[in-house]
């Protein structure tokens, strides 16, 4: 069974086809024949809030001819202690795919292992791969030019990630950058440098030491093609808000920091943003800020991912 729990669940040779499918679906929105999810129901199990992920998946499933079923974790028996394994086995008898937003990354791995349907990671505390694939498509659309090599256009580019460099977005971008052949520099307070656990995971994926870490934001953005940031207080970390804002303040993406990247660099943020904290409003409003294009591409890329996983299941 093919799942999408981490960036490397698609191999390098599968990426050109996936990106081309996403672009085709974008161009022919609403005209995908035959509908890849016709007659299917895909369930979304969410333990955290969401705007982009929930809406883009629900709309995407509908546009592929399927039926989305949103399940708040607390409204199903999982929230009252039914095991992850039993939940996976039962839902596999009813629905054709699971899209899961949760805290522990091991939850999505356990659902995938116990069930018999594709599982997609819609964000865990560790990784947010749907966002990285949509972001990569957004950049490739600009760099490849009309009819160009989408995935190839990412190779050799540099991304700088500032702020909380031990969060799901930072980790996912490190893994994604390595998969896409990009360079990545992280800048943040040393207390929030990637953990030894993440380094071990990265090594296991074949990318040991695949990032630079610095406490100097200007060093990270030097020669960068993309400057990226995320909130300083991820969902579930609210109790640490005061301390996080204190230590991460020097890593805000200000107009001055953004100007120190390449002259044609793009600014990206997975959103939601907290203007005045991790990013200045002027940077969000900069003509080279592509935050809403990356949000839109969640829909097109996730449709391509679901269609591919559904097809792989049929062939299995
Ligand atoms: N970027 C992202 O995943 O947004 P949501 O939390 O709104 O889904
Ligand atoms: N790091 C953020 C990403 C939100 C899309 C969080 O986990 O809350």
């Amino acid at each position: 069974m093919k799942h999408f729990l981490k960036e490397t669940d698609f191999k390098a040779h599968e990426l050109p086809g996936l990106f081309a499918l996403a672009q085709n679906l974008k161009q022919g929105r609403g005209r995908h024949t035959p509908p890849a999810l016709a007659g299917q129901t895909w369930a979304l199990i969410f333990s955290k809030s969401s705007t982009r992920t929930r809406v883009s998946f629900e709309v995407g499933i509908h546009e592929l001819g399927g039926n989305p079923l949103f399940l708040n974790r607390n409204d199903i028996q999982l929230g009252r202690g039914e095991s992850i394994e039993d939940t996976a086995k039962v839902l596999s008898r009813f629905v054709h795919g699971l899209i899961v937003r949760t805290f522990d990354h091991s939850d999505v791995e356990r659902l995938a292992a116990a069930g018999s349907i594709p599982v997609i990671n819609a964000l865990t505390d560790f990784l947010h791969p749907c966002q990285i694939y949509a972001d990569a498509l957004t950049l490739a659309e600009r760099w490849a030019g009309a009819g160009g090599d989408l995935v190839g256009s990412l190779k050799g580019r540099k991304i700088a990630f500032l702020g909380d460099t031990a969060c799901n977005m930072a980790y996912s971008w490190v893994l994604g950058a390595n998969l896409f052949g990009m360079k990545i520099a992280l800048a943040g307070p040393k207390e929030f440098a990637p953990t030894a656990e993440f380094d071990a995971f990265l090594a296991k994926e074949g990318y040991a030491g695949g990032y630079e870490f610095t406490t100097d934001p200007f060093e990270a953005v030097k020669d960068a093609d993309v400057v990226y940031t995320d909130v300083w207080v991820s969902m579930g970390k609210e109790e640490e808000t005061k301390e996080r804002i204190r230590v991460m303040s020097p890593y805000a993406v200000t107009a001055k920091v953004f100007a120190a990247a390449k002259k044609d660099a793009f600014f990206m943020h997975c959103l939601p943003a907290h203007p005045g904290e991790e990013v200045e409003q002027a940077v969000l409003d900069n003509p080279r800020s592509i935050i809403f294009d990356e949000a839109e591409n969640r829909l097109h890329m996730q449709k391509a991912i679901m269609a591919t996983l559904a097809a792989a299941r049929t062939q299995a």
Side-chain angles (χ1 to χ4, degrees), residues 49-54 101 128 131 235 270-272 298:
S49 305
S50 171
T51 299
R52 281 143 289 269
T53 308
R54 176 178 176 177
R101 172 167 283 203
H128 193 10
Q131 181 75 53
M235 291 179 276
C270 57
L271 304 179
R298 297 290 305 278

Side-chain angles (χ1 to χ4, degrees), residues 24-307:
N24 285 342
L25 289 167
K26 183 172 185 173
Q27 283 159 2
R29 190 165 172 206
R31 287 187 281 110
H32 184 59
T33 47
L37 305 186
Q40 298 193 7
T41 296
W42 282 53
L44 291 85
I45 307 177
F46 277 44
S47 309
K48 294 175 175 173
S49 305
S50 171
T51 299
R52 281 143 289 269
T53 308
R54 176 178 176 177
V55 175
S56 56
F57 268 112
E58 290 205 32
V59 170
I61 293 163
H62 174 75
E63 289 186 359
L64 291 175
N67 175 48
L69 178 65
F70 184 81
L71 302 168
N72 183 318
R73 182 195 174 104
N74 292 327
D75 293 342
I76 58 175
Q77 298 289 9
L78 186 63
R80 297 180 60 248
E82 185 167 19
S83 76
I84 286 179
E85 284 72 19
D86 284 2
T87 303
K89 286 175 191 164
V90 169
L91 290 178
S92 293
R93 303 287 180 110
F94 298 133
V95 303
H96 302 83
L98 288 181
I99 293 146
V100 185
R101 172 167 283 203
T102 185
F103 292 88
D104 282 348
H105 189 73
S106 62
D107 287 0
V108 291
E109 293 174 334
R110 287 169 61 195
L111 282 163
S116 52
I117 52 176
V119 177
I120 296 178
N121 175 1
L123 180 147
T124 65
D125 286 348
F126 195 53
L127 297 173
H128 193 10
C130 292
Q131 181 75 53
I132 272 57
Y133 271 46
D135 293 346
L137 175 66
T138 311
L139 291 168
E141 284 173 339
R142 279 164 179 75
W143 291 334
D149 175 1
L150 285 171
V151 180
S153 75
L154 302 168
K155 279 203 173 50
R157 301 280 185 165
K158 178 182 174 183
I159 178 166
F161 188 103
L162 271 54
D164 181 1
T165 62
C167 79
N168 42 17
M169 280 305 305
Y171 287 173
S172 250
W173 250 117
V174 169
L175 188 56
N178 280 277
L179 177 68
F180 298 128
M182 297 170 71
K183 288 174 277 192
I184 184 160
L186 309 175
K190 56 182 181 315
E191 309 88 293
F192 288 93
T195 61
E197 184 198 359
F198 176 71
D199 287 345
F201 165 79
L202 196 61
K204 218 169 135 203
E205 293 293 323
Y207 300 123
Y211 65 90
E212 281 173 32
F213 175 81
T214 170
T215 53
D216 178 355
F218 287 94
E219 187 186 324
V221 300
K222 189 172 181 297
D223 296 325
D225 297 287
V226 187
V227 177
Y228 206 110
T229 193
D230 183 15
V231 292
W232 291 336
V233 185
S234 285
M235 291 179 276
K237 305 286 183 199
E238 289 78 5
E239 281 181 11
E240 302 169 12
T241 299
K242 227 172 129 186
E243 178 61 6
R244 283 173 168 265
I245 291 177
R246 189 181 71 77
V247 297
M248 292 186 198
S249 290
Y251 300 94
V253 181
T254 59
K256 191 175 163 199
V257 169
F258 187 44
K262 277 190 181 165
K263 291 294 158 241
D264 56 353
F266 293 112
F267 172 73
M268 300 183 93
H269 189 312
C270 57
L271 304 179
H274 289 177
E277 286 187 18
E278 76 277 3
V279 58
E280 276 184 0
Q281 187 65 49
V283 176
L284 290 164
D285 294 339
N286 187 291
R288 283 180 284 112
S289 163
I290 52 174
I291 54 177
F292 298 114
D293 293 327
E294 58 175 313
E296 181 193 330
N297 277 341
R298 297 290 305 278
L299 171 67
H300 311 302
M301 179 51 82
Q302 288 161 192
K303 282 170 73 178
I305 292 167
M306 289 188 287

